[in-house]
């Protein structure tokens, strides 16, 4: 537990220092199944849906997802430098109703994902796809995931392509009917701690790492 907390603190301190260096003022917002997107997103007045929350925040902000189940009707794209997760709570993101797309797509530097269980699309998609933005830089930097669980999916569990500086801690990817559990291609500076990948059709770990 000490190592877990230390890794989080070191990463978040680094991100905070980056924010200070560019004069950013980070804010924390909240989402709850019992909230409303008409709210302002503060602790007492949380938003309700994940896509709306992501659309409202700025780089270096934090989204705290309160415990519960959140159903996605389309892919959740995170294209901002944010911290996003349950922060110790119990959160399930259900994307089983999506067809032909991934559940979550990451397209930015300095993204932190914490404490999430993801149910991937029933057909045609992975649980998490972290990739470079086709209209942006050819690579992104700094991706941290901890206590992330993905079970199922027919395009792999977690796919990370073109990220420099990847740290995965206590990440689980199981039972993908096609693809690898965890796939890392064109990435550098990759560190894995206590990760589990089992029962995936094409293999458990797929590597094409530059360094």
């Amino acid at each position: 537990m000490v190592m877990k907390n230390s890794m989080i603190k070191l990463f978040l301190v680094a991100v905070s220092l980056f924010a200070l260096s560019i004069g950013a003022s980070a804010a924390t917002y909240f989402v709850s199944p019992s909230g409303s997107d008409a709210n302002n997103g503060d602790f007492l007045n949380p938003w309700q849906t994940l896509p709306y929350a992501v659309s409202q925040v700025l780089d270096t902000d934090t989204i705290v997802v309160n415990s519960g189940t959140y159903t996605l009707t389309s892919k959740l794209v995170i294209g901002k430098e944010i911290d996003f997760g349950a922060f110790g709570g119990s959160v399930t993101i259900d994307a089983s109703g999506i067809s032909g797309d991934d559940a979550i797509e990451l397209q930015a530097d300095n993204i932190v994902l914490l404490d999430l269980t993801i149910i991937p699309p029933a057909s045609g998609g992975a649980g998490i796809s972290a990739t470079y933005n086709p209209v942006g830089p050819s690579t992104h930097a700094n991706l941290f995931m901890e206590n992330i669980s993905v079970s199922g999916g027919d395009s792999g569990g977690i796919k990370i392509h073109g990220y420099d500086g990847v740290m995965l801690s206590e990440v689980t990817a199981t039972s993908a009917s096609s693809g690898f559990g965890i796939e890392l291609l064109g990435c550098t500076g990759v560190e894995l701690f206590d990760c589990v990948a089992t029962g995936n059709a094409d293999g458990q770990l797929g590597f094409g790492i530059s360094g």
Side-chain angles (χ1 to χ4, degrees), residues 7 12 22 41 48 52 78 94 113 140-141 145 148 155 161 163 165-166 174 186 196:
M7 286 191 293
L12 295 183
I22 61 174
Q48 184 179 43
Y52 183 81
I78 300 178
D94 185 354
L113 294 185
H140 286 303
M145 298 186 198
I148 303 296
S155 183
H161 298 176
Y163 262 83
V166 177
T174 63
V196 176

Side-chain angles (χ1 to χ4, degrees), residues 98-177:
I98 298 174
S99 179
D101 217 336
D102 301 323
I104 299 175
E105 184 172 295
L106 310 178
Q107 292 187 351
D109 298 341
N110 303 316
I111 292 178
V112 176
L113 294 185
L114 298 172
D115 305 323
L116 302 171
T117 295
I118 298 166
I119 303 174
S123 63
I128 297 175
S129 174
T131 182
Y132 68 86
N133 188 334
V135 297
S138 58
T139 59
H140 286 303
N142 304 326
L143 173 61
F144 180 86
M145 298 186 198
E146 182 166 70
N147 193 25
I148 303 296
S149 176
V150 177
S151 180
D154 73 349
S155 183
I158 297 172
K159 301 188 295 185
I160 304 173
H161 298 176
Y163 262 83
D164 296 334
V166 177
M167 182 182 290
L168 306 182
S169 175
E170 300 178 37
V171 171
T172 301
T174 63
S175 306
S177 60

